[in-house]
Amino acid sequence: KELKHLGFVRIAAIQTLVCVSNLYEYAKQNSGPLRSTVGTVEGAVTTVVGPVYRKFKGVPDDLLAFLDTKVDEATDKFNKH
């Protein structure tokens, strides 16, 4: 859904995710002797977080759309007064 007022939040979140992902990949590649441990921990976290992520995957977009609607309503009321 296209957001009227809070579209910048979605863009900022995507840019932050890309930056953190790149930083994580860089750290993982340069972890030296800890590389196997990092891989093991990553696998365990993926196993645990994966189902939770799939369950709540649409919630941030729905919440952002709800908040955008509320901002739009508040803006309309403010403009009327």
Side-chain angles (χ1 to χ4, degrees):
K1 179 180 175 182
E2 189 67 32
L3 301 174
K4 280 175 93 173
H5 303 283
L6 300 177
F8 71 95
V9 174
R10 182 180 287 154
I11 293 168
I14 291 169
Q15 289 177 343
T16 302
L17 182 63
V18 168
C19 184
V20 169
S21 177
N22 289 338
L23 182 62
Y24 174 73
E25 284 298 320
Y26 177 78
K28 189 166 78 168
Q29 291 299 321
N30 294 306
S31 61
L34 297 175
R35 190 172 295 163
S36 64
T37 305
V38 170
T40 303
V41 171
E42 183 180 26
V45 169
T46 303
T47 302
V48 172
V49 173
V52 175
Y53 170 77
R54 284 188 289 279
K55 183 174 182 179
F56 294 106
K57 185 176 163 182
V59 172
D61 280 336
D62 294 341
L63 180 63
L64 197 55
F66 173 77
L67 292 174
D68 191 65
T69 303
K70 292 300 179 183
V71 168
D72 193 39
E73 290 172 5
T75 302
D76 287 343
K77 286 182 182 180
F78 182 75
N79 287 336
K80 287 179 184 178
H81 294 289

